[in-house]
Amino acid sequence: MPVSLSSTHAAPLVRPEYERQPEPVLAVPVERPLPLRQRLWRQGWLRKTVILLALALLWEIVARVQNNALLLPGFVDTARAFVQGVTDGDLPGKAAVSLSVLVQGYLGGIVLAFVLTTLAVSTELGRDLLDTLTSMFNPLPAIALLPLALLWFGLGNGSLVFVLVHSVLWPLALNTYAGFRGVPETLRMAGRNYGLRGLRYVLLILVPAALPAILSGLKIGWAFAWRTLIAAELVFGASSGSGGLGWYIFQNRNELYTDRVFAGLAMVILIGLLVENLVFRSLEEITVRRWGMQR
């Protein structure tokens, strides 16, 4: 029986149209807020505080087991000596003396590092000079130069400033120069197209682009300088004139006031934490993190 072609092709299916009503907004499930304990634990300052309290508790337990305040005073005794030193004005005065010397050496190291790195990125002779000097003096401990500094500058702050400049100069120069070398070539070409040369080229192009490396060098230089200053005052306490924190620790160690020694060390640590979290972190927040150059 013949079949017609029209009957072999079925009519195309038509998708039925329908209208879907959106769910009410109020019916959408809302995520519940995290419990208070989890929200607090996400705060970095709280976690660090818990760590510090745990360390203080461990310190107190070990000191009580040791039961010898001359060798290891407890946390409570150290805190009492610290509060007494702050109340008497002894610890703040010593800290002010140390910080005044530190600022002089730190700024001197920054200026010299900037001069050397500017010469290094400007001329081949400056590059060779920086490479040679850093290879020679960067491995040399700054405290090893203090006897020579005492001969050259005498007893006083001049010898301390000299070794502080040495401790800051080389790590800062190396980090700054590495940051300058890592600047993209497009930025370099853009600066040259605008006619920037010499110091203006360094300040307007290289320094902003290399700022993360420069800030790292500043933090490393600060740590080296602070460490060198305390060590210099410990070994040659009389050279610091009126005496700083290192001299305070050295003097109380000779008089067997171990709790005051630990109080002086606590002041050194506290100043380091304040500088790191208030100065450098604030500087990073308003520069490299705000500009998206660092997470």
Side-chain angles (χ1 to χ4, degrees):
M1 180 178 178
V3 180
S4 62
L5 295 176
S6 61
S7 62
T8 59
H9 297 284
L13 296 177
V14 179
R15 184 177 179 180
E17 296 183 359
Y18 60 90
E19 183 178 358
R20 176 178 294 178
Q21 296 292 335
E23 297 181 2
V25 178
L26 297 179
V28 177
V30 180
E31 295 183 0
R32 294 181 179 180
L34 292 175
L36 179 61
R37 182 180 62 183
Q38 296 184 11
R39 281 183 289 167
L40 290 177
W41 189 247
R42 290 190 175 187
Q43 303 296 324
W45 64 269
L46 181 61
R47 295 195 302 269
K48 294 178 182 178
T49 303
V50 171
I51 293 174
L52 292 176
L53 292 177
L55 291 176
L57 179 61
L58 180 62
W59 177 5
E60 184 67 25
I61 293 175
V62 172
R64 290 181 181 272
V65 172
Q66 180 75 21
N67 195 22
N68 191 339
L70 182 62
L71 295 179
L72 181 64
F75 175 78
V76 177
D77 296 334
T78 303
R80 187 181 298 113
F82 183 86
V83 172
Q84 183 179 358
V86 172
T87 305
D88 296 341
D90 201 10
L91 276 176
K94 301 297 184 183
V97 172
S98 294
L99 289 175
S100 64
V101 178
L102 179 69
V103 169
Q104 299 176 42
Y106 191 63
L107 293 179
I110 291 175
V111 172
L112 289 178
F114 181 76
V115 172
L116 284 178
T117 50
T118 302
L119 292 175
V121 297
S122 302
T123 62
E124 294 182 356
L125 180 61
R127 187 184 313 117
D128 295 337
L129 177 64
L130 180 62
D131 290 339
T132 304
L133 293 180
T134 52
S135 300
M136 292 172 55
F137 295 112
N138 190 42
L140 185 64
I143 195 66
L145 295 176
L146 188 57
L148 291 177
L150 292 173
L151 291 175
W152 295 340
F153 302 101
L155 297 176
N157 292 338
S159 57
L160 292 179
V161 171
F162 176 79
V163 296
L164 289 179
V165 169
H166 172 82
S167 63
V168 174
L169 173 57
W170 310 116
L172 178 56
L174 285 175
N175 276 270
T176 303
Y177 184 58
F180 286 171
R181 295 182 63 181
V183 175
E185 191 63 29
T186 52
L187 291 178
R188 298 174 181 270
M189 295 176 62
R192 297 190 188 100
N193 290 337
Y194 278 102
L196 299 178
R197 296 292 185 273
L199 185 60
R200 295 183 64 223
Y201 173 75
V202 173
L203 292 177
L204 298 180
I205 299 297
L206 297 183
V207 170
L211 199 55
I214 295 174
L215 289 177
S216 297
L218 289 173
K219 289 194 288 186
I220 295 173
W222 147 257
F224 282 5
W226 189 229
R227 186 184 314 167
T228 300
L229 176 62
I230 299 302
E233 290 179 344
L234 279 169
V235 179
F236 300 95
S239 67
S240 61
S242 58
L245 281 175
W247 175 244
Y248 177 85
I249 296 171
F250 178 80
Q251 188 177 21
N252 284 284
R253 192 264 300 178
N254 289 337
E255 298 176 2
L256 298 180
Y257 292 126
T258 314
D259 53 348
R260 297 181 184 179
V261 172
F262 275 83
L265 295 174
M267 177 62 78
V268 173
I269 295 173
L270 181 60
I271 291 176
L273 291 175
L274 290 176
V275 172
E276 176 69 25
N277 291 280
L278 295 182
V279 178
F280 289 113
R281 183 160 297 181
S282 300
L283 189 58
E284 289 177 350
E285 289 290 340
I286 63 177
T287 55
V288 292
R289 293 188 181 180
R290 183 179 180 183
W291 301 340
M293 302 172 67
Q294 192 179 73
R295 296 182 61 182

